[in-house]
Amino acid sequence: MKKKAWALIFFVIITLLSSVVISKNVEDTLIKSISIVSAIGIDSRDEGYEVTLQMINTAAKPDSAGEVPGSIIYQQSGRTISQAIKNILNRNPKKIFLDSAELIVIGEQTAREQGIHEILALFLTESEISSSIKIMVTKDYPASRIIRTITPAEKVSSKRINDIVHSNELNLGSVSGVYPVKVMNDLLRNIKAAAIPYVTLSSDQEIGSSQENISSPEPEVLLILNGMAYFKKDKLAGYLSRDESKIFLGFTNNTTTIETKCGAGFFTVHIKKSKTSVKPVFNNGMISFQVKRKMKGELFESTCSKDDLPYLESKAETAIKNEMAGLIARSQEENNDFLGFLKEVYLRNPYKFQEINKKWKELYPEVPVEVEVDLEIEDIGDVNRIP
């Protein structure tokens, strides 16, 4: 009886080991037969598009250090994006696996001159592209330069960019990840200008695309994500600074960190909760808006000579109100409703929207907007105060 039991145990162990070996061989064979795409760069050319694909180098671990590059770059042109991708097959006979792509980067020139509608339409209808892929535009550089940049900490730039976006969302609040379906919805509904993050480089040195860039403790070229870019219809219209982007994202209730001047010093508050309401007001055939932002935050640091909470709250409220008013004024001067005032009319009063929408271009630059800010800073104590 014992011999049969041991024989059964031995058979089970051999079967499990065989399954592991076989599955590992199948996995290795599959990985070797496909090219796993991590990022897609789109730039325009005289007769179409130039596509840059960043593919995972399976010979290296993407998040490890070493001489082996974490990614391999393929670049080809075509009259269409799909044709450019097919042209890459002439250099890379493996099946291109697009489902793994984490990022679409569109070059500044392409976004300004040709627009992004055709690009979005392709990737939204392409069954091999994941719906969770993120999209951004470049500033000052083509998408190919961003894709080729070798970064510290992560050997694959697409992963590094997504890590920076995630960290910014949690801490600084000047960038928010955006998916193509969200941008396309804004374009099709045409009641709010689209906005997506932008990425640039800290230096224009060519060393950024070589392993030499990460051989020093202080790399010469770094990826920089500071804010949001806004569009007019489907074409890039401009970039918001870091502080403007924080105010812009505040309209969508994002958390952020604010730094405010107080005399010769500064203080920092981390906003944990934020709620912004935009209310259209109709009076005697005229329209105006009331913008109210209510926040709750924690005091992180203060070098102010006077640091009682009501004083700091008042200082921060005034600063935020002025910054909100400044961003609204910029939007009105450019006659570009990237803040979404018309969308609020649509959501709150669909009947009035039909009337307002017809003459919004004439109304928006002069429409009155009243801003109100309410900040509550939680008392976290004072280590300098003796009980």
Side-chain angles (χ1 to χ4, degrees), residues 75-126:
Q75 186 179 73
Q76 281 290 295
S77 298
R79 291 179 178 175
T80 63
I81 295 172
S82 57
Q83 183 61 54
I85 293 175
K86 288 179 180 178
N87 289 340
I88 291 175
L89 291 172
N90 293 329
R91 298 189 175 189
N92 177 37
K94 297 181 181 179
K95 176 177 173 54
I96 297 176
F97 190 63
L98 294 171
D99 188 63
S100 59
E102 299 178 297
L103 189 66
I104 299 171
V105 181
I106 302 175
E108 177 181 356
Q109 181 182 358
T110 304
R112 281 194 187 277
E113 298 177 1
Q114 294 183 224
I116 61 174
H117 185 274
E118 288 185 3
I119 299 172
L120 293 173
L122 170 67
F123 288 117
L124 286 173
T125 55
E126 174 56 63

Side-chain angles (χ1 to χ4, degrees), residues 193-365:
I196 62 177
Y198 66 87
V199 58
T200 187
L201 300 175
S202 61
S203 169
D204 63 357
Q205 298 185 53
E206 293 293 338
I207 192 177
S209 58
S210 70
Q211 288 289 117
E212 189 179 350
N213 188 49
I214 57 174
S215 63
S216 166
E218 296 184 9
E220 296 288 339
V221 183
L222 294 172
L223 293 165
I224 306 294
L225 284 89
N226 260 344
M228 305 292 289
Y230 59 95
F231 288 70
K232 194 158 190 175
K233 293 187 177 180
D234 77 323
K235 293 185 177 180
L236 177 64
Y239 300 96
L240 300 178
S241 68
R242 187 189 72 169
D243 291 337
E244 287 176 328
S245 296
K246 289 161 71 172
I247 294 297
F248 167 77
L249 292 172
F251 276 81
T252 56
N253 306 320
N254 283 40
T255 58
T256 185
T257 299
I258 58 173
E259 304 87 20
T260 307
K261 187 173 178 60
C262 52
F266 290 87
F267 66 97
T268 302
V269 176
H270 175 62
I271 304 299
K272 299 192 302 179
K273 294 181 180 180
S274 177
K275 178 67 176 178
T276 302
S277 67
V278 180
K279 180 182 178 183
V281 178
F282 301 95
N283 187 18
N284 295 327
M286 303 295 290
I287 183 173
S288 62
F289 290 88
Q290 293 178 345
V291 180
K292 295 183 179 181
R293 186 175 182 188
K294 191 169 185 177
M295 299 170 290
K296 181 178 289 187
E298 289 181 343
L299 180 65
F300 265 17
E301 183 180 4
S302 173
T303 59
C304 306
S305 57
K306 182 180 180 182
D307 59 0
D308 60 281
L309 293 184
Y311 169 77
L312 298 181
E313 287 171 346
S314 176
K315 280 287 185 181
E317 287 171 353
T318 300
I320 294 171
K321 180 178 179 179
N322 290 338
E323 289 176 348
M324 290 177 68
L327 187 59
I328 293 169
R330 174 178 174 176
S331 172
Q332 291 182 306
E333 288 171 5
E334 297 183 17
N335 201 4
N336 187 337
D337 184 17
F338 55 79
L339 294 172
F341 286 102
L342 183 61
K343 182 178 179 180
E344 292 299 326
V345 178
Y346 172 79
L347 294 174
R348 291 174 177 263
N349 197 327
Y351 297 104
K352 285 286 187 181
F353 170 78
Q354 299 299 329
E355 175 189 344
I356 296 297
N357 189 36
K358 295 176 183 178
K359 49 185 178 180
W360 186 240
K361 287 184 179 180
E362 292 74 33
L363 290 174
Y364 184 59

